[in-house]
């Protein structure tokens, strides 16, 4: 039987877990008031709706969240690739109706499996093209564009009865480090940072967003602590009138785990003003993950909170305030009702087709060299489904340009050039990754008729080959890119996005 402080801590904790069925420890904690769960790729199976039913049977107020952004980030379609537009594609199209409709479709899909919190949209303004973790997850590099599309997607999500969570406050767009592996520090002039990177979050608050996720980044002008643990940073949200739920980014990320630890991070985040603590994905340690890593991480977070409550470094009133906000969101979602059907059919292909631009061809076959970077914890950048959808059974070979020697790379290029069809170099960081740029250069020397398919940010420097700019590492984007190169017509986006 849990004690009083453990029961209180449960109300602000949001763990991930292993498997496609709820483990016994998780159901027991849900019955003891655990705030809910976050789904990750390992939880997705044919019985996902039944899993949600079991969780809600254990705690009818459970918040069930999922990272479902469309484009490069999907959990529901993690095995096959997203069939929804991504943020960069929506920003490129710049049609607020299409973005609103995409949000509504995201919410419909999440509600259909029993979820009630979409961990999106990304409100980061991606001003650093080297950014390894945001990139095409952002609507763009202009704060006005990002603001209006953030607001539009929030309206689409919440209009279907599901909570939206804009992320990653105060803005993860001007970093070249990944907070899953390190602790990024913002070096941008503070006045410029405030003007550019805070704007979409202010706009989302004005639009009534339900929740906001923090970033594990340091802004030196506001103190040495990462935003997630910094009361000066989180206090800004309350000063702006936000009374919704402040959710932490995952506490198992290196920026927290390897500095103050999950338990220490949990207590410090609550003290700083966070309300709901996302513990993270227990598969993140990879081969080092223990069989009970999910329960261990949960207990580490809860033990840290309980210890801080007992020694007085964390006020009980602060945790009760956080728990009340979490409970209020659950009550709001019950009253709102989730997953009402869209009034019009959603046409993702028309939206993505309007955003994919550049080279066209009439090839009978494609010979694809997949030179994308390795996957990260946030984005499955190198997922095979992108190259598979592009190649459609034609020649395809994976090439890790960061590890392969020049001789190995040349052998792969020679095989592609010798194969039947149009040589295609699939990349995702042609500006930031010198090895990708060099590969494209050498491909152009071998085959001047070759084409680049870029699923990352549009290159600022011209490449020596024609480029199909996709803007997302998604199945639907790759399919449409392939159609462009095989001479198939792609529907224009006229009226495609109106689903509300």
């Amino acid at each position: 039987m849990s004690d009083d402080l453990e029961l209180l801590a449960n109300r602000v904790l949001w763990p991930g877990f292993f498997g496609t069925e709820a483990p016994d420890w998780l159901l027991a904690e849900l019955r003891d008031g655990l705030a809910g769960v976050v789904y990750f790729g390992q939880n997705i199976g044919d019985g996902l709706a039944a899993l949600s039913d079991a969780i809600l049977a254990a705690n009818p107020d459970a918040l069930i969240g999922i990272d479902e952004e469309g484009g490069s980030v999907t959990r529901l379609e993690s095995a096959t690739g997203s069939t929804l537009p991504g943020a960069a594609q929506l920003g490129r199209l710049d049609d607020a109706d299409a973005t609103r409709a995409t949000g509504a479709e995201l919410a419909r899909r999440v509600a259909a499996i029993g979820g009630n919190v979409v961990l999106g949209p990304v409100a980061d303004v991606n001003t650093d093209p080297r950014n390894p973790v945001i990139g095409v997850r952002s609507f763009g590099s202009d704060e006005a564009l990002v603001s209006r599309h953030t607001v539009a997607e929030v309206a689409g999500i919440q209009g279907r009865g599901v909570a939206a969570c804009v992320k990653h406050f105060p803005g993860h767009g001007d970093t070249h480090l990944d907070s899953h592996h390190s602790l990024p520090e913002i070096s941008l002039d503070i006045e410029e940072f405030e003007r550019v990177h805070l704007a979409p979050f202010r706009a989302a608050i004005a639009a009534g967003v339900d929740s906001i996720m923090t970033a594990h980044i340091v802004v030196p002008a506001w103190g040495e602590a990462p935003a997630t643990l910094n009361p000066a940073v989180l206090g800004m949200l309350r000063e702006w009138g936000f009374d919704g739920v402040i959710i932490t980014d995952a506490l198992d990320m290196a920026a927290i785990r390897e500095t103050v630890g999950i338990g220490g991070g949990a207590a410090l985040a609550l003290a700083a003003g966070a309300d709901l603590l996302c513990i993270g994905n227990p598969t993140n340690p990879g081969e080092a993950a223990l069989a009970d890593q999910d329960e261990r991480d949960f207990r580490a977070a809860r033990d840290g909170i309980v210890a801080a409550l007992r020694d007085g470094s964390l006020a009980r009133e602060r945790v009760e305030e956080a728990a009340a906000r979490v409970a209020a969101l659950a009550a709001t979602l019950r009253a709102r009702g989730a997953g009402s059907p869209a009034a019009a059919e959603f046409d993702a292909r028309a939206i993505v087709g309007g955003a994919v631009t550049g080279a066209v061809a009439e090839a009978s076959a494609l010979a694809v060299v997949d030179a994308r970077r390795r996957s990260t914890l946030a984005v499955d950048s190198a997922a095979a489904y992108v190259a598979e959808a592009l190649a459609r059974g034609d020649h395809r070979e994976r090439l890790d340009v960061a590890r392969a020697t020049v001789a190995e790379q040349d052998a792969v290029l020679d095989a592609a050039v010798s194969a039947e069809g149009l040589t295609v170099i699939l990349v995702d960081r042609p500006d930031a990754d010198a090895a990708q740029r060099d590969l494209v250069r050498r491909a152009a020397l071998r085959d001047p008729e070759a084409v680049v398919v870029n699923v990352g940010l549009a290159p600022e420097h011209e490449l020596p080959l024609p480029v199909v700019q996709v803007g997302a590492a998604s199945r639907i984007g790759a399919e449409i890119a392939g159609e462009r190169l095989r001479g198939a017509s792609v529907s224009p986006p006229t009226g495609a996005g109106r689903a509300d």
Side-chain angles (χ1 to χ4, degrees):
M1 180 67 180
S2 299
D3 69 20
D4 177 58
L5 295 182
E6 288 181 341
L7 292 174
L8 176 58
N10 270 9
R11 294 166 60 195
V12 298
L13 288 172
W14 218 24
F17 60 96
F18 288 129
T20 56
E21 297 182 359
D24 290 341
W25 73 264
L26 181 64
L27 293 175
E29 299 299 345
L30 285 162
R31 288 190 286 269
D32 274 349
L34 183 66
V37 301
V38 181
Y39 287 156
F40 293 95
Q42 75 270 9
N43 305 125
I44 308 305
D46 293 338
L48 190 54
L51 172 61
S52 298
D53 288 344
I55 288 167
L56 292 169
N59 181 359
D61 291 328
L63 299 178
I64 301 176
I66 187 166
D67 263 324
E68 197 66 25
E69 300 174 12
S72 298
V73 175
T74 178
R75 303 293 181 254
L76 294 178
E77 298 180 290
S78 58
T80 57
S82 178
T83 54
L84 288 177
Q89 293 171 332
L90 293 166
R92 185 179 183 89
L93 198 60
D94 199 11
D95 178 348
D97 286 337
T99 301
R100 187 178 300 107
T102 299
E105 177 64 9
L106 280 166
R108 186 195 67 78
R109 294 184 182 194
V110 168
I113 57 88
N116 51 23
V117 182
V118 172
L119 293 175
V122 170
D124 303 312
V125 183
N126 197 86
T127 52
D128 190 334
R130 301 170 299 170
N131 198 317
V133 68
I134 303 300
V136 294
R137 298 169 65 195
S138 166
F139 292 111
S141 60
D142 175 78
E143 68 271 19
L145 180 143
V146 174
S147 294
R148 63 177 171 267
H149 286 280
T150 296
V151 167
E153 190 162 306
V154 166
I157 292 169
Q158 295 185 180
R160 293 291 174 262
V162 174
C165 176
V166 297
K167 57 189 184 184
H168 309 82
F169 183 78
H172 210 311
D174 195 66
T175 67
H176 63 276
L177 297 175
D178 183 349
S179 52
H180 291 82
H181 304 290
S182 58
L183 182 57
E185 184 173 304
I186 301 297
S187 58
L188 192 67
D189 174 78
I190 191 60
E191 290 184 2
E192 182 179 356
F193 185 84
E194 291 179 349
R195 177 180 59 80
V196 174
H197 295 275
L198 299 186
F201 296 97
R202 288 182 180 270
I205 290 170
V209 70
D210 287 322
S211 60
I212 296 175
M213 178 173 281
T214 65
H216 303 328
I217 60 169
V218 173
V219 182
W222 297 333
E224 296 180 356
T228 299
L229 312 181
N230 190 330
V233 177
L234 302 191
M236 293 179 191
L237 296 172
R238 303 306 182 197
E239 291 169 5
W240 298 344
F242 179 63
D243 198 37
V245 176
I246 298 175
I247 302 175
T248 69
D249 206 346
L251 296 178
D252 69 347
M253 292 163 61
I256 302 298
R257 182 193 285 270
E258 295 181 9
T259 54
V260 296
I262 291 178
L268 289 169
L270 284 165
D275 302 308
L276 182 59
L277 310 183
C278 176
I279 296 173
N281 185 348
T283 68
N284 282 348
E287 293 181 359
L290 300 171
D292 61 346
Q293 191 71 50
D294 50 358
E295 186 176 5
R296 284 173 179 261
D297 288 350
F298 162 72
R299 295 196 182 283
R302 188 171 69 180
D303 289 349
I305 295 168
V306 170
L309 286 167
R310 286 181 173 148
D311 71 20
S313 59
L314 176 62
R316 183 182 181 114
E317 293 76 16
R318 168 77 272 275
V319 185
E320 289 175 339
E321 175 189 53
R325 285 201 179 98
V326 173
L329 176 57
T332 295
L333 293 176
R334 284 200 311 274
R336 190 184 286 168
S340 57
E345 186 174 343
F346 179 75
D347 191 346
R349 287 188 62 81
I351 296 174
V352 177
V356 176
T357 60
V360 294
E362 295 188 358
S364 59
L366 304 181
V368 178
V369 176
D370 181 1
R372 293 171 296 153
R373 60 179 166 161
R374 296 189 296 277
S375 296
T376 70
L377 294 178
V379 185
D380 195 4
S381 316
Y385 52 68
V386 176
E388 289 171 354
L390 183 61
R392 237 170 45 183
D394 295 339
H395 178 91
R396 169 174 60 89
E397 189 163 355
R398 172 75 178 142
L399 176 60
D400 186 345
V401 292
R403 295 182 177 178
T405 65
V406 171
E408 290 169 336
Q409 294 179 33
D410 285 345
V412 171
L413 286 175
D414 290 340
V417 171
S418 300
E420 179 185 356
L422 176 67
T423 305
V424 177
I425 311 299
L426 177 60
V427 299
D428 60 355
R429 289 172 67 82
D431 266 350
D433 191 319
Q436 287 187 8
R437 287 198 308 275
D438 187 60
L439 184 75
V440 170
R441 180 188 62 79
R442 286 185 285 116
L445 293 175
R446 282 169 169 75
D447 183 359
E449 303 301 317
V451 172
V452 173
V453 171
N454 178 30
V455 296
L457 295 173
E460 296 180 358
H461 303 96
E462 187 175 357
L463 297 175
L465 290 173
V467 178
V468 180
Q469 181 58 37
V470 180
S474 64
R475 170 168 288 276
I476 189 171
E479 288 174 347
I480 289 172
E483 290 170 9
R484 291 182 69 89
L485 297 178
R486 291 182 173 90
S489 61
V490 179
S491 303
T494 305
R498 290 165 180 80
D500 56 347

